[in-house]
Amino acid sequence: MEPTKTFDLGLEVDTYVNRLDNNLLLNSEESDELRDHFHCEVEELAELGLSEAEAFEVSKMRFGKQQLIRTEYHKAKPMKMIYRYIMVGLLLFFSIRLVEVLIGYCSVVMFFLIDQLNVPIKTANIIDLGLKVGVLSVLFGWIYYGLKRGKISKWLLFTIPFLSIAGEMSTPLLFSFAMGYDYNVYISIVQKAVINSKIIMLISYLLTVGLFFVLWHRNGKGLQLSN
Amino acid sequence: MQNYSKELIAASTIPIVLAILERGDNYGYKIIKEVQSISEGALNWKEGSLYPVLTKLEKNKLISSYIKTENGRNRKYYTLNDTGKSFLVKLQSEWQSLHEIMQKIWSPQKPLILD
């Protein structure tokens, strides 16, 4: 016997409202307002004897076509759209810069391991690659979390640019601290680190751009910037 | 039941919403239901289209809003402010005047006598 699928009204309403908001139009108050609308309508229809699933279907029909509602919101706040596109663009740009900085830090760690802790070069290279993969995983974990929640906090718009700029400024200092050696002696180490970085950076760029593209266009759940 | 054109419904939405809010603070879903009740179902909006209108009115500072938690949910209430009240008076006067003109145009006229 097949297990019966229970209808989760809260989840269905969230999905519907997030889908409506896939152009980052609504603030959290407006999203809550639409959620409240559906809950009120479903409660009223349920009193008439409809199941929650049936009532939700009726309320969606009464609500109107999503594209039409989106167009009306666009008209109501044209500047908001431009503002949100700029914000997400900046977030994407600085996220990629931050990944570059963090990958640079991984290389610093590798040099530090070889120089200060006498770790064998091969082991340090493996650690370097592992750290870079870790950075990449954390980044995509964060994007996936944002995707699942459907929201990315505005504070990230300040934190990520700050970290990426501060990181870039501090990287040369850290390199000079970690590398007390003649570059020619360690040319092979540097080459391997650079190869690691290039591979990771290429994957980062492709995945980041790809994921943001998916976030931007997917119909199921949108990306929303919360207040 | 009377079916109104999309254009007429769109044009009348703002004066209707402001007039409903003149009766007292209200929230989206309740505004829709009140309009349906007053018009006895004749004004059947696509419900979702009300919310961008409320956003626009608030942006234009004709109405203001506040959040109240009811049944564990955040509910956005709207209030008609002074600017909104003045704007409503202006709209009422315009609609009234237009209505009178239409009445005159549509009423049976004696043929024009040209000398």
Side-chain angles (χ1 to χ4, degrees):
Chain A
M1 196 177 143
E2 273 187 39
T4 49
K5 200 179 168 190
T6 51
F7 181 79
D8 184 343
L9 180 63
L11 183 70
E12 293 292 328
V13 170
D14 279 352
T15 307
Y16 188 83
V17 172
N18 285 330
R19 192 181 299 145
L20 177 73
D21 190 31
N22 73 357
N23 286 328
L24 323 175
L25 268 176
L26 308 178
N27 59 34
S28 55
E29 271 185 18
E30 287 160 346
S31 303
D32 283 349
E33 183 177 45
L34 298 185
R35 285 189 187 96
D36 182 50
H37 170 93
F38 283 109
H39 282 283
C40 287
E41 184 111 71
V42 168
E43 280 165 12
E44 196 177 290
L45 291 168
E47 279 174 22
L48 299 173
L50 269 68
S51 70
E52 276 195 342
E54 289 166 339
F56 185 56
E57 283 307 309
V58 173
S59 63
K60 279 194 290 188
M61 280 194 289
R62 288 182 179 176
F63 195 74
K65 286 184 183 163
Q66 290 202 333
Q67 190 51 48
L68 183 80
I69 313 300
R70 253 184 237 129
T71 308
E72 292 305 315
Y73 269 116
H74 280 222
K75 285 183 201 164
K77 39 181 171 182
M79 284 311 291
K80 193 88 173 174
M81 276 300 292
I82 296 166
Y83 173 63
R84 280 173 189 268
Y85 277 120
I86 290 170
M87 283 204 300
V88 174
L90 282 173
L91 189 63
L92 173 61
F93 173 76
F94 282 109
S95 297
I96 291 171
R97 299 297 301 145
L98 186 61
V99 173
E100 281 182 309
V101 166
L102 291 174
I103 283 173
Y105 276 15
C106 294
S107 299
V108 170
V109 171
M110 183 189 71
F111 286 118
F112 183 79
L113 289 173
I114 296 165
D115 183 23
Q116 309 293 335
L117 304 175
N118 297 320
V119 173
I121 294 169
K122 208 171 178 181
T123 312
N125 271 324
I126 292 166
I127 293 170
D128 173 60
L129 185 65
L131 283 172
K132 285 169 183 172
V133 169
V135 166
L136 200 62
S137 308
V138 168
L139 173 80
F140 289 105
W142 167 69
I143 291 178
Y144 177 75
Y145 179 68
L147 181 80
K148 244 190 147 180
R149 277 176 69 228
K151 285 185 179 185
I152 288 178
S153 306
K154 272 185 189 165
W155 66 266
L156 285 174
L157 286 165
F158 301 99
T159 314
I160 288 179
F162 174 78
L163 288 177
S164 68
I165 291 164
E168 274 189 67
M169 287 172 76
S170 64
T171 305
L173 288 171
L174 285 172
F175 262 108
S176 61
F177 166 74
M179 292 173 69
Y181 294 96
D182 181 356
Y183 178 81
N184 291 327
V185 175
Y186 289 93
I187 189 75
S188 65
I189 309 167
V190 172
Q191 277 172 343
K192 278 179 185 163
V194 168
I195 289 166
N196 280 350
S197 300
K198 278 185 176 172
I199 293 166
I200 297 297
M201 277 310 298
L202 183 66
I203 296 167
S204 302
Y205 271 107
L206 291 175
L207 285 179
T208 309
V209 172
L211 266 174
F212 268 87
F213 185 79
V214 169
L215 266 171
W216 198 261
H217 289 283
R218 63 181 273 162
N219 290 322
K221 201 162 190 177
L223 172 69
Q224 185 186 349
L225 290 164
S226 59
N227 290 317
Chain B
M1 194 180 288
Q2 178 79 51
N3 268 332
Y4 296 102
S5 69
K6 268 199 301 191
E7 290 77 11
L8 194 59
I9 288 180
S12 62
T13 305
I14 289 177
I16 290 172
V17 171
L18 294 178
I20 296 285
L21 290 175
E22 197 185 25
R23 297 169 173 219
D25 295 2
N26 221 329
Y27 58 96
Y29 183 74
K30 197 78 186 299
I31 294 171
I32 294 164
K33 294 297 146 186
E34 287 204 18
V35 171
Q36 283 173 358
S37 161
I38 294 165
S39 68
E40 293 172 345
L43 262 181
N44 216 355
W45 292 341
K46 278 294 172 197
E47 297 181 355
S49 62
L50 172 74
Y51 295 96
V53 173
L54 290 168
T55 301
K56 193 175 167 185
L57 290 173
E58 193 178 11
K59 205 177 144 224
N60 292 335
K61 302 193 185 324
L62 297 171
I63 59 175
S64 49
S65 68
Y66 59 91
I67 300 291
K68 225 168 147 180
T69 306
E70 287 175 15
N71 302 329
R73 296 198 295 268
N74 286 341
R75 183 161 288 166
K76 194 173 184 185
Y77 275 84
Y78 293 93
T79 311
L80 185 67
N81 58 32
D82 291 340
T83 324
K85 281 175 192 163
S86 317
F87 189 65
L88 178 61
V89 170
K90 185 175 166 275
L91 286 177
Q92 282 167 336
S93 150
E94 281 177 5
W95 277 85
Q96 197 64 42
S97 153
L98 192 65
H99 175 71
E100 283 164 17
I101 292 167
M102 296 299 225
Q103 287 292 101
K104 279 184 199 166
I105 290 170
W106 289 328
S107 62
Q109 296 284 315
K110 286 177 192 167
L112 285 171
I113 300 161
L114 299 169
D115 290 328

